[in-house]
Amino acid sequence: MRIALHTKVRADRIAEYEAAHREVPQELTAAIRAAGTTSWTIWRSGTDLFHVLECEDYAALLAELEQLPVNIAWQARMAELLDVIHDYSEDGATAGLPVVWEL
Protein backbone atom coordinates (compact mmCIF):
# COMPACT_ATOMS: atom_id res chain seq x y z
CA MET A 1 0.00 0.00 0.00
CA ARG A 2 1.08 3.59 -0.61
CA ILE A 3 0.55 6.28 2.07
CA ALA A 4 0.98 10.05 1.69
CA LEU A 5 1.45 12.29 4.73
CA HIS A 6 1.82 16.04 5.28
CA THR A 7 3.78 17.61 8.11
CA LYS A 8 5.38 21.04 8.62
CA VAL A 9 8.87 21.82 9.85
CA ARG A 10 9.41 24.91 11.97
CA ALA A 11 10.82 27.67 9.76
CA ASP A 12 13.77 28.22 12.09
CA ARG A 13 14.58 24.48 12.26
CA ILE A 14 14.74 23.50 8.55
CA ALA A 15 18.53 23.01 8.50
CA GLU A 16 18.40 20.95 11.69
CA TYR A 17 15.54 18.82 10.31
CA GLU A 18 17.44 18.11 7.11
CA ALA A 19 20.64 17.35 9.06
CA ALA A 20 18.74 14.89 11.25
CA HIS A 21 17.53 13.05 8.16
CA ARG A 22 21.08 12.64 6.91
CA GLU A 23 21.70 10.68 10.13
CA VAL A 24 18.57 8.57 10.67
CA PRO A 25 19.65 5.79 13.04
CA GLN A 26 20.40 2.54 11.20
CA GLU A 27 18.46 0.68 13.91
CA LEU A 28 15.37 2.73 13.03
CA THR A 29 15.66 2.27 9.26
CA ALA A 30 16.19 -1.47 9.79
CA ALA A 31 13.07 -1.63 11.98
CA ILE A 32 11.03 0.32 9.40
CA ARG A 33 12.11 -2.11 6.68
CA ALA A 34 11.52 -5.17 8.91
CA ALA A 35 7.97 -3.90 9.54
CA GLY A 36 7.25 -4.12 5.79
CA THR A 37 8.21 -0.72 4.38
CA THR A 38 9.89 -0.82 0.98
CA SER A 39 10.32 2.93 0.46
CA TRP A 40 9.81 6.25 2.25
CA THR A 41 10.53 9.58 0.58
CA ILE A 42 10.10 13.06 2.07
CA TRP A 43 9.92 16.21 -0.08
CA ARG A 44 10.09 19.75 1.30
CA SER A 45 8.52 22.90 -0.13
CA GLY A 46 9.26 25.79 2.23
CA THR A 47 8.12 24.46 5.59
CA ASP A 48 5.73 21.88 4.12
CA LEU A 49 6.90 18.27 4.17
CA PHE A 50 5.26 15.63 2.00
CA HIS A 51 5.94 11.98 2.73
CA VAL A 52 5.14 9.02 0.47
CA LEU A 53 5.79 5.55 1.77
CA GLU A 54 5.09 2.10 0.47
CA CYS A 55 4.49 -0.65 2.97
CA GLU A 56 2.58 -3.87 3.42
CA ASP A 57 0.25 -2.54 6.13
CA TYR A 58 0.56 1.00 7.52
CA ALA A 59 -1.35 0.30 10.75
CA ALA A 60 0.86 -2.74 11.41
CA LEU A 61 3.98 -0.66 10.67
CA LEU A 62 2.99 1.95 13.25
CA ALA A 63 2.06 -0.69 15.81
CA GLU A 64 5.42 -2.41 15.29
CA LEU A 65 7.38 0.82 15.80
CA GLU A 66 5.27 2.47 18.51
CA GLN A 67 7.07 1.00 21.55
CA LEU A 68 10.52 0.68 19.96
CA PRO A 69 12.99 2.81 22.01
CA VAL A 70 14.85 4.11 18.93
CA ASN A 71 11.54 5.25 17.39
CA ILE A 72 10.38 6.86 20.64
CA ALA A 73 13.64 8.83 20.76
CA TRP A 74 13.34 9.77 17.06
CA GLN A 75 9.75 10.98 17.47
CA ALA A 76 10.76 13.10 20.47
CA ARG A 77 13.53 14.65 18.36
CA MET A 78 11.11 15.34 15.49
CA ALA A 79 8.58 16.89 17.89
CA GLU A 80 11.16 19.60 18.62
CA LEU A 81 11.55 20.39 14.90
CA LEU A 82 8.01 20.16 13.54
CA ASP A 83 5.06 22.56 13.69
CA VAL A 84 2.51 20.06 12.41
CA ILE A 85 3.25 16.56 13.59
CA HIS A 86 1.73 13.41 12.13
CA ASP A 87 0.66 10.91 14.74
CA TYR A 88 3.16 8.09 14.24
CA SER A 89 1.53 6.02 16.96
CA GLU A 90 -0.91 3.25 16.08
CA ASP A 91 -3.73 5.85 16.49
CA GLY A 92 -2.41 7.76 13.46
CA ALA A 93 -2.90 4.88 11.04
CA THR A 94 -5.87 6.55 9.32
CA ALA A 95 -4.26 10.00 9.01
CA GLY A 96 -2.89 9.59 5.48
CA LEU A 97 -3.80 12.11 2.79
CA PRO A 98 -6.75 11.07 0.63
CA VAL A 99 -6.08 10.26 -3.02
CA VAL A 100 -7.64 12.87 -5.34
CA TRP A 101 -6.32 11.66 -8.70
CA GLU A 102 -3.99 8.97 -9.97
CA LEU A 103 -2.59 8.11 -13.41
Side-chain angles (χ1 to χ4, degrees):
M1 73 188 311
R2 190 172 54 219
I3 301 294
L5 306 169
H6 176 227
T7 56
K8 288 179 96 50
V9 64
R10 293 180 181 165
D12 62 337
R13 306 299 289 273
I14 290 171
E16 191 175 347
Y17 178 85
E18 290 184 354
H21 281 82
R22 288 190 293 274
E23 302 172 356
V24 177
Q26 191 279 328
E27 182 184 355
L28 181 57
T29 59
I32 291 169
R33 287 185 190 282
T37 302
T38 56
S39 71
W40 191 326
T41 304
I42 303 171
W43 292 268
R44 184 178 63 79
S45 178
T47 58
D48 291 297
L49 302 168
F50 300 95
H51 310 239
V52 174
L53 61 140
E54 294 191 26
C55 61
E56 293 173 17
D57 180 332
Y58 187 55
L61 165 68
L62 295 181
E64 184 80 21
L65 298 177
E66 188 170 15
Q67 299 304 316
L68 190 65
V70 69
N71 184 56
I72 292 168
W74 180 259
Q75 295 309 322
R77 185 176 185 191
M78 292 301 102
E80 296 173 358
L81 305 177
L82 298 174
D83 268 340
V84 175
I85 302 169
H86 174 74
D87 183 359
Y88 287 105
S89 74
E90 189 175 2
D91 293 337
T94 60
L97 298 173
V99 174
V100 175
W101 183 82
E102 206 170 346
L103 176 67

